[in-house]
Amino acid sequence: MKEKPLLILDFGAHNNQQVAKIARKFNVYCEVKPYNTDLDLIKKINPKALIFIGDEESKELDAAEKKSELKDLGIPVLEFGNQKEPEEIKAFIFDKCGFSGNWTIQAFIDDTVEQIKTQVGDKKVLCALSGGVDSSVAAVLVHKAVGDQLTCVFVNHGLMRKDEPEQVEEIFGKQFNMKLIAINAVDRFLDKLAGIDDPEKKRKIIGEEFIRVFEEESQRLGKMDFLVQGTICPDIIESVSNKGVLKSHHNVGGLPEDIDFELLEPLKLLFKDEVREVGEALGIPHELVWRQPFPGPGLGVRVVGAITREKLNYVRESDAILREEIKLAGLENSIWQYFTVCPGCKSVGVKDGKRTYEEAIVIRAVLSNDAMTADVAELPYQLLTKIATRIVAEVDGVNRVMYDITPKPPSTIEWE
Ligand code: XMP
């Protein structure tokens, strides 16, 4: 019998995820919901215990009412503002509520596989695989449950990093032996993007074209019943205090609202680090599971202004050199994101005694916890020199390399 969960209700805390992470570190399964979650839904979740965190909103009448309504359920409650020591949470969980502490990643995998099998039965499942961590882990998990009833569609939009499309085919098609349809839509995307220099328009075109290609393919495949989504917990927890989001992202892989599928979201209760643990446990290569965040519109937002094949090539090749050198220097796990940008400014240089007039490349490397703010990574000067030397020597058409030393804010991490 599966143990009932611990339910954390967010009354305006800054750290609701942290409390959930503490509980899960003690191997107690928990979920986080906003304080105004419907009472019927809470009864359906049927929690073994409740934690109320945050007090900002509890000054509001409905929050106070909600608290007393919840206390009337007769379930043990731990209530606090923004701070609570892990030891106090532990005492509540084990001494007061008697949780068993037997929730593990392997137990999650086993339960989820069983659940997917029951839910899907003998029906068909479709997945848009991007090669990102979440969609990859979700796809492998579903594949483990239903095998060839799952078809994955991978759309190569020409904006991926060097060798990535090949890696997706190698890992999922060959290693995991999944039914994978790889669509080369490079020309289609680049034609649509030709001459477009506004960053938001570029994002929109990439997002919409993705949907179009995906829809065409799914129609060709015939009736599919389920669609796998790599939604994870932070995507759905709406902290009642984190209302302001700086910049909204049109994500590639975001699908239209009128889709005719039932959604399968096997990771929706996990945090990013747990998704990675599941990925490792399923045998997905370490590099993919731990890869740095990569924007949905890919290199498309790293060529500033209108995208051309030449500029994309400068970014792709210089980015490959940067990644290789960062890895050689043993720094890949200590930098949040590192990549190159083609800012589209030509400048004069000299090569083999001849004047050149070529593109510049910017190196960006930042430290961050959540991408909301970022500090510049202080890469060793010698390393920067080595990377710059290699880029101008190996990437034809580039004669200058710069290092972006601006934190976020006032800059953003990406250039567009
Ligand atoms: P900014 O540039 O806003 O980026 O500081 C914050 C984080 O978001 C990533 N990013 C995106 N991710 N679609 C995405 O999926 C996008 O359009 C997008 N734009 C930025 C960026 O790489 C960083 O991690």
Side-chain angles (χ1 to χ4, degrees):
M1 250 292 273
K2 243 175 87 181
E3 187 166 63
K4 292 183 197 172
L6 168 70
L7 182 62
I8 299 170
L9 289 169
D10 177 9
F11 283 80
H14 304 292
N15 60 348
N16 61 29
Q17 299 200 4
Q18 227 168 328
V19 177
K21 282 178 185 169
I22 291 172
R24 291 198 190 171
K25 281 271 171 305
F26 294 129
N27 294 331
V28 168
Y29 180 66
C30 62
E31 295 180 24
V32 184
K33 298 257 179 248
Y35 80 97
N36 51 3
T37 300
D38 194 54
L39 200 62
D40 286 336
L41 181 63
I42 292 178
K43 285 184 188 154
K44 200 169 148 214
I45 294 172
N46 191 17
K48 191 178 168 95
L50 293 169
I51 292 185
F52 300 166
I53 53 170
D55 47 21
E56 284 172 21
E57 307 283 323
S58 59
K59 291 178 202 98
E60 289 174 22
L61 192 64
D62 72 326
E65 264 174 25
K66 193 83 193 180
K67 280 191 180 175
S68 71
E69 220 175 67
L70 289 161
K71 283 178 187 163
D72 285 347
L73 292 175
I75 301 169
V77 174
L78 175 68
E79 188 173 349
F80 58 96
N82 270 312
Q83 284 304 324
K84 200 80 179 168
E85 290 302 313
E87 286 310 309
E88 293 173 80
I89 296 172
K90 188 179 176 189
F92 172 71
I93 292 172
F94 294 116
D95 305 342
K96 176 119 197 259
C97 308
F99 276 94
S100 63
N102 64 2
W103 187 77
T104 59
I105 288 296
Q106 195 53 50
F108 168 84
I109 294 175
D110 296 343
D111 288 350
T112 310
V113 164
E114 278 316 304
Q115 216 174 303
I116 297 169
K117 272 187 190 160
T118 314
Q119 194 181 350
V120 171
D122 58 2
K123 298 201 171 133
K124 286 190 183 164
V125 188
L126 185 62
C127 175
L129 193 62
S130 67
V133 181
D134 304 336
S135 75
S136 301
V137 175
V140 173
L141 201 52
V142 174
H143 181 250
K144 197 173 161 68
V146 301
D148 273 355
Q149 282 163 259
L150 169 73
T151 304
C152 291
V153 173
F154 164 65
V155 178
N156 178 3
H157 50 28
L159 306 168
M160 298 185 77
R161 289 175 291 196
K162 193 172 179 178
D163 299 332
E164 265 180 345
E166 293 77 12
Q167 278 163 5
V168 168
E169 292 193 51
E170 172 65 33
I171 295 171
F172 300 100
K174 301 221 174 89
Q175 249 167 272
F176 282 98
N177 204 13
M178 287 156 71
K179 240 196 233 171
L180 175 72
I181 300 176
I183 301 172
N184 183 340
V186 177
D187 290 342
R188 214 173 139 159
F189 276 83
L190 296 187
D191 287 351
K192 272 259 149 63
L193 286 163
I196 308 292
D197 54 12
D198 177 72
E200 289 306 303
K201 271 199 198 131
K202 283 161 64 175
R203 279 196 172 79
K204 200 156 175 251
I205 291 173
I206 297 166
E208 283 176 2
E209 199 56 19
F210 179 89
I211 290 170
R212 224 159 274 150
V213 174
F214 187 76
E215 272 179 346
E216 283 171 19
E217 191 55 33
S218 84
Q219 271 159 19
R220 212 182 55 78
L221 286 167
K223 172 102 181 104
M224 290 278 169
D225 307 278
F226 292 91
L227 183 72
V228 181
Q229 292 272 277
T231 322
I232 70 169
C233 187
D235 298 339
I236 51 177
I237 296 180
E238 279 176 51
S239 166
V240 284
S241 53
N242 289 341
K243 285 171 191 143
V245 175
L246 199 64
K247 183 166 154 186
S248 68
H249 296 136
H250 303 276
N251 234 344
V252 171
L255 293 158
E257 276 163 23
D258 58 348
I259 46 166
D260 187 20
F261 298 104
E262 211 175 310
L263 288 185
L264 268 189
E265 298 179 295
L267 310 175
K268 74 172 178 208
L269 299 170
L270 298 188
F271 294 107
K272 193 81 186 188
D273 48 350
E274 292 167 336
V275 172
R276 293 200 161 108
E277 280 185 62
V278 172
E280 295 256 29
L282 292 170
I284 300 175
H286 184 82
E287 291 75 46
L288 195 161
V289 167
W290 287 97
R291 73 178 214 168
Q292 52 171 316
F294 186 62
L299 303 183
V301 290
R302 294 180 180 171
V303 169
V304 176
I307 298 170
T308 64
R309 284 171 200 263
E310 289 75 27
K311 287 180 181 174
L312 263 183
N313 187 51
Y314 302 146
V315 172
R316 187 173 284 124
E317 294 299 324
S318 57
D319 176 75
I321 293 171
L322 173 70
R323 285 194 288 143
E324 194 181 316
E325 291 297 333
I326 295 270
K327 188 172 180 184
L328 272 175
L331 293 173
E332 58 183 343
N333 293 330
S334 41
I335 310 173
W336 171 265
Q337 266 179 294
Y338 46 97
F339 54 87
T340 60
V341 176
C342 180
C345 79
K346 282 191 167 185
S347 69
V348 176
V350 53
K351 220 182 241 174
D352 303 328
K354 285 199 194 98
R355 180 187 186 276
T356 59
Y357 187 58
E358 294 177 330
E359 292 288 339
I361 279 292
V362 175
I363 297 171
R364 182 86 167 132
V366 296
L367 310 177
S368 179
N369 289 318
D370 55 7
M372 297 300 283
T373 61
D375 291 319
V376 177
E378 293 186 16
L379 295 187
Y381 198 76
Q382 272 186 334
L383 175 63
L384 284 171
T385 316
K386 187 176 176 205
I387 296 166
T389 308
R390 278 195 62 190
I391 292 176
V392 288
E394 295 172 36
V395 187
D396 251 355
V398 172
N399 68 356
R400 190 175 296 272
V401 178
M402 302 179 271
Y403 191 47
D404 182 346
I405 53 165
T406 341
K408 173 182 179 177
S411 293
T412 48
I413 295 177
E414 304 287 347
W415 272 49
E416 283 197 337

